[in-house]
Amino acid sequence: MPTELEDEVIPQPRGIVEELVRDDVGRKKFLKALGGAGAASFGAFVLAACGSSSTTTSTKTATKTATTAPASAASVPASFGAGDIGILNYALTLEYLEEQFYAKVIAAKLFTGAVGSLVSEFGQQESEHVAALHATVIKLGGTPAAKPTGKFPITTAAAVAKLAYTVENLGAAAYLGQAGNISSPTVLAAALSIHTVEARHAATLATLVPGGHVTPTGAFATPDDAATVLAAVKPFIA
């Protein structure tokens, strides 16, 4: 029978993110902030940071962070295409799988109430990512990657929530892993605006999963290279 997720997991302290999940009005405001205006503002911030050549306190801080955070990962396999188009097709392939995953979870009706609504909205946002990436590849003169057929173990609400948490963290790490390989500032801003949404999805899910952590790698997010990500998603491709 459909069930609230909190009925199937070990109770945890309620943080601000979980409060947003449980509060319908607050949750909608939070999710709305992830959308157009929020993403655009984040993109503008990224472009400003990348385009600045002055030596300021912020620049010094960024330099210090760069020496602490992991280096940018290798680019994507040639089968996805060259340059930015290849990276976009790699991201599109991952988003295809996320979109299918959420569609199957929603169809299984494992979640109800506020959590069920949240899962549906996450699924809608993944569909929007697919549409945006698909259109961008075409706009740049490329051929969008073929859609893979996903296969996911949709069993209990608790197991699915844990898988969603893992998948969203993997997606965020995949985008971050390609940031240093993107040539176009516009594509970079768009990719990072999706990256931040994937990370926020993961952080939200972390409050609902036993052992989940909103910042699993501490003060600095860790990128994953394409080989690592593709190996991780291979079991979920039919």
Side-chain angles (χ1 to χ4, degrees), residues 73 76 87 90-91 94 168-179 195 222-226 229-230:
V76 302
I87 294 172
Y90 162 66
L94 300 178
E168 293 285 8
N169 274 308
L170 183 66
Y175 277 99
L176 188 59
Q178 295 305 315
H195 157 75
T222 301
D224 277 342
D225 61 26
V229 173
L230 293 172

Side-chain angles (χ1 to χ4, degrees), residues 14 51 70 88 149:
R14 287 170 60 170
L88 288 168
T149 300

Side-chain angles (χ1 to χ4, degrees), residues 172-224:
Y175 277 99
L176 188 59
Q178 295 305 315
N181 300 319
I182 297 174
S183 299
S184 165
T186 301
V187 173
L188 175 61
L192 290 182
S193 70
I194 295 177
H195 157 75
T196 194
V197 173
E198 300 287 332
R200 293 182 188 192
H201 285 181
T204 302
L205 291 162
T207 67
L208 304 173
V209 174
H213 200 296
V214 295
T215 54
T217 58
F220 302 99
T222 301
D224 277 342

Side-chain angles (χ1 to χ4, degrees), residues 12 21 96 225:
Q12 296 181 323
V21 173
Y96 278 143
D225 61 26

